[in-house]
Amino acid sequence: MNVTYQNIKGTFDILPDAQDGSDAPIPGSPAWQYVESVIRDVMARYNMLEIRTPILEPTPLIARGIGQLTDIVAKEMFAFERGDTQYVLRPEVTAPVMRAYLQHRLDQRGGVQKLFYIGPCFRAESPQKGRYRQFHQFGCEVIGSPDPRADAETIALMMDVYAAFGITDLRLRLNTLGDEQSRPRYREALQAYLAPHADRLSETSRQRLRTNPLRILDTKDERERALLAGAPRLIDFVDDESRAFYEEVKALLDLLDIPYEEDPFLVRGLDYYTHTAFEVESDNLGAQRALGGGGRYDLLSREIGSKQAVPAVGFAAGIERLLLELTARGLPLPGIPAPDAFLVALGDEATRWVFATARTLRRAGLRVALDLKGRSMKAQMREANRQRARYTVIVGKDELAARQAQVKHMESGEQVAVAFDALAGFLLEHRAAVAA
Ligand code: HAM
């Protein structure tokens, strides 16, 4: 077939079947549904409620929320204007969830709001394995609690999502970014330390040295890492209260037996964090090692216009990277489901009977397939085979006269006659037997 248009670079179609993809395999929709159902299950166990916010948000919300100098806002936004309104395809969901919280006065519902989401996000990054321009995040936001238990619970939830897939050996990196005052002090100290060595920094880092020096801590460049080994550490600029908070988060993680590595250089790519910051990593993902990450963001609400600071903590993780991780570990992902029955008809009258019976069986709860192309009986049998149907139900003139169908178990080849009236019962019973 002639192909005129293709999907945009960095995006992909999720087909029923797995496909190769340009950088990495893209599992089929049944695998996505499975992963999402496991995520929903873990979210439910933590008593999280789902929130769905629009894909389009006002650009200033994102720019202010995430920070003008971050890569996401400075370089990676899909933003456009229509009339007087500036729109952006959301690059993440934390700022939108906080917007919704403030807009709908969710604080007045009492207690802490525990919200989760699963959905697409957009960042104009250069695509590679594990990095896309449209990708999917799952995550949660715990809003209204200043308690370190909210931080520890968020981390526990994130780790339990991976555990639910049988992944229990990921690296969890943890750091504290201190409060509002600590970061500017540290920023200055880091600038002062790095400035005399600017010639040893990459072009990007030299730029960051002026604009956003903390981001240099993230560098993967060996020479820069060596230079950073002697740099001042954020923890030394953190006040006693923040330090005590951090100690409590660690003690709670210990209580839950969640291992972590402290990483004084973990800063994350979004500006809204204070106190706790964390990331979960895998060695299976190549350059894009971060499966997920998050932290506390007590200042975000004020940044986006609230008079009050609303204490909050959350995480988000990429579904593509989770799927890559599952694939790398050889963990099974479901493929296209097989029909319980494929109805095969021989002759016009049988074709009509099959067409009506398919609906009866479907209403009884069965997954039923049939030919919609007027193919020969042989071709219908081939199609039933291709679809791996558990049973074929074969009906011709004789079967119509006797009011019973030939029902063939495709794997064993065993065939029995089943009365029309008993067909749904037979198929349901045998499906249950297989499932059990
Ligand atoms: P983030 O670290 O920017 O944090 O993104 C979270 C996760 O989304 C990453 O660890 C990664 O798995 C996935 N991800 C990000 N960009 C891409 C991409 N271009 N392609 C594929 N996957 C990607 C946040 O977004 C924060 N909102 C997390 C948070 C929630 N903090 C507090 N609450």
Side-chain angles (χ1 to χ4, degrees), residues 138-158:
F138 64 94
C140 78
E141 312 295 343
V142 179
I143 308 183
S145 168
D147 193 307
R149 283 179 303 166
D151 305 54
E153 187 176 86
T154 298
I155 294 173
L157 190 167
M158 180 179 78

Side-chain angles (χ1 to χ4, degrees), residues 46 149 151-157 160 249-259:
Y46 278 81
R149 283 179 303 166
D151 305 54
E153 187 176 86
T154 298
I155 294 173
L157 190 167
D160 280 351
V249 172
K250 288 192 287 176
L252 291 166
L253 291 176
D254 292 340
L255 177 67
L256 299 180
D257 278 327
I258 298 173

Side-chain angles (χ1 to χ4, degrees), residues 135-381:
F135 59 100
H136 300 77
Q137 279 192 346
F138 64 94
C140 78
E141 312 295 343
V142 179
I143 308 183
S145 168
D147 193 307
R149 283 179 303 166
D151 305 54
E153 187 176 86
T154 298
I155 294 173
L157 190 167
M158 180 179 78
M159 299 312 277
D160 280 351
V161 169
Y162 296 104
F165 291 102
I167 303 174
T168 53
D169 56 354
L170 297 171
R171 203 170 28 252
L172 173 64
R173 292 157 64 217
L174 185 69
N175 192 20
T176 178
L177 302 176
D179 65 2
E180 215 173 342
Q181 282 85 42
S182 359
R183 241 197 301 183
R185 283 203 306 259
Y186 177 62
R187 196 187 132 105
E188 269 174 40
L190 188 63
Q191 256 165 344
Y193 170 81
L194 287 174
H197 306 288
D199 54 325
R200 289 166 64 188
L201 296 175
S202 69
E203 177 63 37
T204 320
S205 293
R206 267 206 298 277
Q207 217 169 358
R208 283 177 170 163
L209 184 56
R210 285 190 302 276
T211 55
N212 203 356
L214 267 66
R215 290 297 295 166
I216 302 175
L217 298 177
D218 263 358
T219 182
K220 307 234 158 47
D221 179 317
E222 283 309 321
R223 266 176 40 147
E224 292 185 350
R225 288 182 87 94
L227 179 61
L228 285 169
R233 299 195 165 217
L234 189 50
I235 189 78
D236 298 319
F237 291 76
V238 162
D239 67 342
D240 289 347
E241 208 176 310
S242 305
R243 209 176 289 223
F245 188 91
Y246 184 48
E247 290 306 319
E248 185 56 20
V249 172
K250 288 192 287 176
L252 291 166
L253 291 176
D254 292 340
L255 177 67
L256 299 180
D257 278 327
I258 298 173
Y260 53 84
E261 287 170 21
E262 290 182 72
D263 181 349
F265 290 158
L266 176 68
V267 287
R268 311 253 320 118
L270 306 98
D271 277 354
Y272 48 57
Y273 294 111
T274 49
H275 299 291
T276 318
F278 55 86
E279 232 162 62
V280 61
E281 275 186 0
S282 157
D283 292 329
N284 289 324
L285 296 182
Q288 307 306 317
R289 328 162 61 79
L291 277 170
R296 182 164 276 282
Y297 49 93
D298 295 347
L299 305 176
L300 174 60
S301 62
R302 284 226 309 266
E303 209 54 62
I304 62 173
S306 156
K307 292 209 173 53
Q308 277 167 300
V310 179
V313 55
F315 84 92
I319 298 190
E320 289 77 5
R321 293 187 193 175
L322 168 59
L323 285 164
L324 281 171
E325 182 69 27
L326 293 171
T327 308
R329 288 174 186 249
L331 292 169
L333 290 171
I336 292 181
D340 298 311
F342 192 106
L343 308 189
V344 174
L346 186 61
D348 288 346
E349 205 187 330
T351 300
R352 290 179 68 78
W353 180 88
V354 152
F355 187 66
T357 303
R359 181 153 188 252
T360 311
L361 297 177
R362 287 166 175 164
R363 294 180 121 190
L366 291 153
R367 179 183 285 267
V368 177
L370 75 166
D371 168 65
L372 292 175
K373 282 173 94 170
R375 282 183 283 196
S376 71
M377 182 174 155
K378 212 164 134 198
Q380 293 178 52
M381 290 302 284

